[in-house]
């Protein structure tokens, strides 16, 4: 089945460009467009969407607030969000990740990377490289709020799962974690999946945010 995509951007030329790229793919279908976050929510009320490609800087309702509202929807009515940013809007990208976005790309990303990212997000994974996630969290740690609060959900993790979560939050890929703890990469992937299920998180990006917010890891640590 085709991945149903909605494009949210206040610039018509940008939307047209993305639509042209996406419609050239047999497995991707643009089912809607929106000019801002508020318009996106209205479109979602009448159109089924798998992935929302979300701009951040828009009038009326920006991409961060729209992402927060989309990710607060019930599970059966909640598409995944891929946000777009520029180098000077990393703070907004970080806020969108905390709001539930599955990752972000730079707005000048090559077409093939955008296509690959949409497919990855549609499959339930994240498109933010662990090292980039950590850089964002380190840079904007002040936005994490007051002192870290231990999350009771962490008590559900086994000692190995806690170790894997710590390494994920430190910016290591599955392959790097596998080498560190001397197991197969497939085993690490299984551990990550169990961690997400136990903590009721959507992807590893949200797992990293939780690790920082709960004090499991600290910025720069």
């Amino acid at each position: 089945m085709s991945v149903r995509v909605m494009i949210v951007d206040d610039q018509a030329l940008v939307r047209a460009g993305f639509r042209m790229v996406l419609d050239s793919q047999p497995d991707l279908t643009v089912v809607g467009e929106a000019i801002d976050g508020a318009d996106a929510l209205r479109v979602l009320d009448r159109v089924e969407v798998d992935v929302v490609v979300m701009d951040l800087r828009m009038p009326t309702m920006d991409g961060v607030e729209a992402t927060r509202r989309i990710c607060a929807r019930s599970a059966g009515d909640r598409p995944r969000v891929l946000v777009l940013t520029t180098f000077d809007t990393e703070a907004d990208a970080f806020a969108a990740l905390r709001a539930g976005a599955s990752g972000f790309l730079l707005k000048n990303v090559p077409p093939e990377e955008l296509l690959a990212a949409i497919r990855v997000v549609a499959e339930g994974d994240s498109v933010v490289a662990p090292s980039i996630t950590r850089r964002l969290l380190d840079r904007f740690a002040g936005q994490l709020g007051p002192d870290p609060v231990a999350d009771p959900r962490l008590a559900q993790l086994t000692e190995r799962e806690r170790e894997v979560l710590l390494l994920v939050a430190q910016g290591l890929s599955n392959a790097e974690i596998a080498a560190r703890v001397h197991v197969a990469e497939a085993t690490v992937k299984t551990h990550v999946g169990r961690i997400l299920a136990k903590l009721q998180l959507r992807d590893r990006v949200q797992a990293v945010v939780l690790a920082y917010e709960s004090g499991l890891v600290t910025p720069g640590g």
Side-chain angles (χ1 to χ4, degrees):
M1 293 179 62
S2 292
V3 175
R4 299 165 296 190
V5 182
M6 178 167 69
I7 303 168
V8 185
D9 197 291
D10 60 330
Q11 298 184 40
L13 285 177
V14 172
R15 295 197 307 273
F18 285 159
R19 176 181 278 274
M20 182 175 64
V21 172
L22 270 58
D23 281 344
S24 70
Q25 304 298 302
D27 61 330
L28 302 177
T29 302
V30 177
V31 295
E33 296 184 17
I35 61 174
D36 58 39
D39 190 29
L41 296 176
R42 288 191 291 269
V43 173
L44 287 175
D45 285 337
R46 62 178 188 271
V47 178
E48 292 188 7
V49 177
D50 299 311
V51 177
V52 177
V53 178
M54 179 78 73
D55 187 21
L56 288 178
R57 296 295 180 90
M58 298 176 292
T60 309
M61 182 187 293
D62 64 20
V64 174
E65 179 60 24
T67 296
R68 184 177 296 110
R69 296 194 187 191
I70 290 172
C71 293
R73 290 181 168 227
S74 60
D77 188 38
R78 184 175 60 202
R80 298 177 68 82
V81 179
L82 173 64
V83 301
L84 300 179
T85 184
T86 58
F87 282 115
D88 61 350
T89 59
E90 284 183 336
D92 289 337
F94 171 71
L97 292 178
R98 291 190 69 203
S102 296
F104 75 93
L105 295 174
L106 297 178
K107 233 177 178 182
N108 62 353
V109 64
E112 60 272 16
E113 290 188 25
L114 174 62
L115 296 171
I118 291 173
R119 294 182 178 108
V120 168
V121 166
E123 292 174 356
D125 209 342
S126 163
V127 296
V128 182
S131 59
I132 297 176
T133 303
R134 186 182 184 193
R135 177 168 60 85
L136 279 172
L137 289 165
D138 284 350
R139 179 170 176 181
F140 300 108
Q143 298 183 26
L144 287 171
D147 294 336
V149 178
D151 194 306
R153 290 175 294 176
L154 293 175
Q156 303 176 61
L157 303 182
T158 65
E159 183 177 348
R160 174 66 84 186
E161 289 166 350
R162 193 179 181 91
E163 180 182 16
V164 169
L165 174 58
L166 177 61
L167 294 174
V168 167
Q170 290 176 339
L172 275 66
S173 66
N174 284 353
E176 292 169 332
I177 295 172
R180 179 75 64 89
V181 300
H182 308 293
V183 299
E185 186 174 346
T187 301
V188 174
K189 187 174 181 179
T190 298
H191 283 314
V192 172
R194 289 174 178 167
I195 290 168
L196 297 181
K198 288 182 177 181
L199 301 182
Q200 299 179 314
L201 301 173
R202 298 181 65 183
D203 52 42
R204 65 189 295 145
V205 172
Q206 294 300 296
V208 174
V209 172
L210 183 145
Y212 274 71
E213 290 183 323
S214 64
L216 185 61
V217 293
T218 56

